C-alpha cells in the first residue's frame, strides 16, 4: 500500500512539473503529453501494488480513467488551438494599429509623425535632404469634380512620388495636398535632380472618371547643415516651397545656406523653368 501511495505521489509531482498552465513560449509545441505520461505511470504503480493482480474490474477502471484522460487531452488541445488563433488575431490587430499610427490611410505613404521620426533618425546617422511638395490648384479638382476625384488624384501623386525616388528614400503625406520626401545619404545635386524627376512625373495627366487631370506642384528643397534639427530643416523646405509658388508655381527652389529664416525670405537657388502652371478647370478636359 505504501508503494501505491509513493507511486501516485511521484506521478503527481511529475505531472505538476511538466504541465503548462500558461500559454507556451515561442518555439515550443502548443501542448504537452508529459502530464498524461505521468497518469500512465500512476496506473502502472497502482497495478503493481495490487495484491490480487489485474482483474477485469480493474481493466474497466483503467479504461474509464483512460477515456477521461483522452477527453481532457482533447479539450486541452482545442483550448490551445483557440488560444493560438486568438493570439494570431491580436497580432494582426496590432499590425493594423501600427500601420494606422505610422502611415496615411489614403495613399499608404508615411504620415507626418512617422516622417518626423525618420528625419530625426536620418539627421543622427547620415547626410539628409528634405523635399516639401505642395500641389498647385488642387482645390480646383475638389470644387469641380468632387472629393472622390481629389482623393484619386492624391493617390496618383503618391504613386508618382514612389516611382521618382530611391528605395531607401521616404515619401510622406503631411496632410491635405502637401507631401514630403526624405533623402538620406544624398548630395545636393542628387536632391535637385530628384525634385526635377518628381515635377516631370507629375506632368503626365492622370485619367480620373474619364477626364485627364494634371497635377502641378511647387517643391522646396532643404539640405541639412551640421547640427540641424528636424524643425529647422522642415521650415527651410517650407520656405523654399512657398518661394517656388511666388515664382510662378510648377517649379522647385532650394533653400540657401545664407537665407535668413523670415516669412518673406527668398530662396537663393532656383531650379529651371516651370514645367506646369497648375491644375485649372480649363485644363481638366481633353
Amino acid at each position: 500500500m505504501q508503494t501505491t501511495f509513493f507511486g501516485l505521489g511521484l506521478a503527481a509531482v511529475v505531472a505538476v512539473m511538466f504541465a503548462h498552465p500558461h500559454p507556451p513560449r515561442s518555439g515550443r509545441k502548443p501542448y504537452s503529453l508529459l502530464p498524461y505520461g505521468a497518469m500512465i505511470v500512476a496506473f502502472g504503480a497502482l497495478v503493481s501494488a495490487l495484491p490480487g493482480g489485474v482483474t477485469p474490474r480493474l481493466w474497466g477502471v483503467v479504461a474509464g480513467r483512460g477515456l477521461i484522460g483522452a477527453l481532457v487531452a482533447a479539450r486541452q488541445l482545442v483550448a490551445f488551438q483557440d488560444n493560438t488563433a486568438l493570439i494570431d488575431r491580436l497580432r494582426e490587430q496590432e499590425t493594423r494599429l501600427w500601420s494606422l499610427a505610422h502611415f496615411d490611410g489614403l495613399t499608404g505613404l508615411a504620415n507626418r509623425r512617422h516622417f518626423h521620426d525618420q528625419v530625426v533618425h536620418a539627421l543622427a546617422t547620415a547626410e539628409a535632404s528634405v523635399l516639401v511638395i505642395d500641389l498647385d490648384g488642387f482645390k480646383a479638382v475638389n470644387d469641380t469634380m468632387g472629393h472622390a476625384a481629389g482623393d484619386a488624384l492624391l493617390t496618383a501623386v503618391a504613386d508618382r512620388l514612389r516611382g521618382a525616388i530611391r528605395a531607401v528614400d521616404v515619401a510622406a503625406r503631411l496632410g491635405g495636398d502637401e507631401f514630403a520626401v526624405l533623402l538620406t545619404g544624398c548630395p545636393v545635386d542628387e536632391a535637385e535632380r530628384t525634385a526635377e524627376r518628381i515635377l516631370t512625373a507629375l506632368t503626365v495627366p492622370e485619367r480620373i472618371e474619364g477626364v485627364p487631370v494634371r497635377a502641378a506642384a511647387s517643391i522646396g528643397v532643404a539640405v541639412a547643415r551640421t547640427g540641424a534639427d528636424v524643425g529647422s530643416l522642415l521650415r527651410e523646405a517650407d520656405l523654399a516651397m512657398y518661394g517656388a509658388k511666388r515664382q510662378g508655381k510648377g517649379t522647385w527652389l532650394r533653400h540657401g545656406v545664407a537665407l535668413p529664416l523670415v516669412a518673406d525670405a527668398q530662396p537663393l537657388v532656383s531650379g529651371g523653368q516651370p514645367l506646369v502652371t497648375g491644375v485649372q478647370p480649363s485644363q481638366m478636359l481633353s
Side-chain angles (χ1 to χ4, degrees):
M1 200 68 177
Q2 292 180 349
T3 306
T4 301
F5 286 120
F6 175 79
L8 292 174
L10 178 61
V13 171
V14 172
V16 171
M17 289 178 61
F18 291 99
H20 292 299
H22 302 291
R25 296 180 181 178
S26 175
R28 292 184 180 178
K29 293 183 178 180
Y31 58 92
S32 174
L33 297 179
L34 289 177
Y36 309 103
M39 294 173 61
I40 296 175
V41 173
F43 283 127
L46 177 63
V47 169
S48 63
L50 289 175
V54 180
T55 63
R57 183 177 181 181
L58 178 61
W59 278 118
V61 173
V62 171
R65 295 291 302 224
L67 178 60
I68 294 174
L71 292 176
V72 172
R75 179 65 186 89
Q76 184 183 33
L77 178 60
V78 171
F80 275 122
Q81 289 175 337
D82 291 342
N83 291 339
T84 300
L86 177 60
I87 292 173
D88 291 339
R89 289 196 296 270
L90 290 175
R91 287 175 178 171
E92 291 175 0
Q93 182 67 15
E94 182 181 6
T95 301
R96 285 195 295 269
L97 292 175
W98 187 90
S99 180
L100 290 174
H102 292 83
F103 294 92
D104 177 58
L106 176 63
T107 63
L109 299 179
N111 60 18
R112 180 182 289 272
R113 175 184 176 183
H114 187 50
F115 184 76
H116 183 281
D117 293 341
Q118 292 296 308
V119 174
V120 171
H121 178 72
L123 291 176
T125 59
E127 181 181 17
S129 300
V130 167
L131 279 60
V132 171
I133 304 146
D134 191 80
L135 301 185
D136 298 329
F138 176 75
K139 187 175 182 296
V141 177
N142 277 335
D143 291 345
T144 59
M145 301 182 64
H147 291 287
D151 289 346
L153 182 60
L154 292 175
T155 302
V157 169
D159 292 337
R160 304 286 175 84
L161 286 180
R162 293 187 185 96
I165 63 178
R166 304 170 302 173
V168 296
D169 300 328
V170 179
R173 182 187 177 203
L174 301 183
D177 61 342
E178 187 177 20
F179 297 83
V181 174
L182 168 64
L183 308 173
T184 55
C186 182
V188 175
D189 56 347
E190 179 58 31
E192 295 174 350
R193 285 194 293 270
T194 300
E196 293 173 354
R197 285 198 303 272
I198 292 173
L199 288 177
T200 301
L202 294 180
T203 61
V204 180
E206 181 72 20
R207 187 165 292 274
I208 300 174
E209 299 178 359
V211 177
V213 180
R214 184 173 56 188
S218 298
I219 301 179
V221 181
V223 179
R225 296 168 290 178
T226 303
D229 59 76
V230 60
S232 63
L233 185 61
L234 290 174
R235 185 162 183 257
E236 289 177 357
D238 268 333
L239 288 173
M241 182 269 294
Y242 285 117
K245 284 186 177 292
R246 288 193 296 269
Q247 288 201 3
K249 303 180 180 181
T251 188
W252 63 269
L253 295 174
R254 178 169 64 84
H255 190 282
V257 175
L259 179 64
L261 297 179
V262 294
D264 59 349
Q266 293 292 332
L268 301 181
V269 183
S270 175
Q273 298 297 321
L275 296 175
V276 287
T277 58
V279 179
Q280 301 298 333
S282 60
Q283 295 175 315
M284 292 191 296
L285 301 177
S286 57

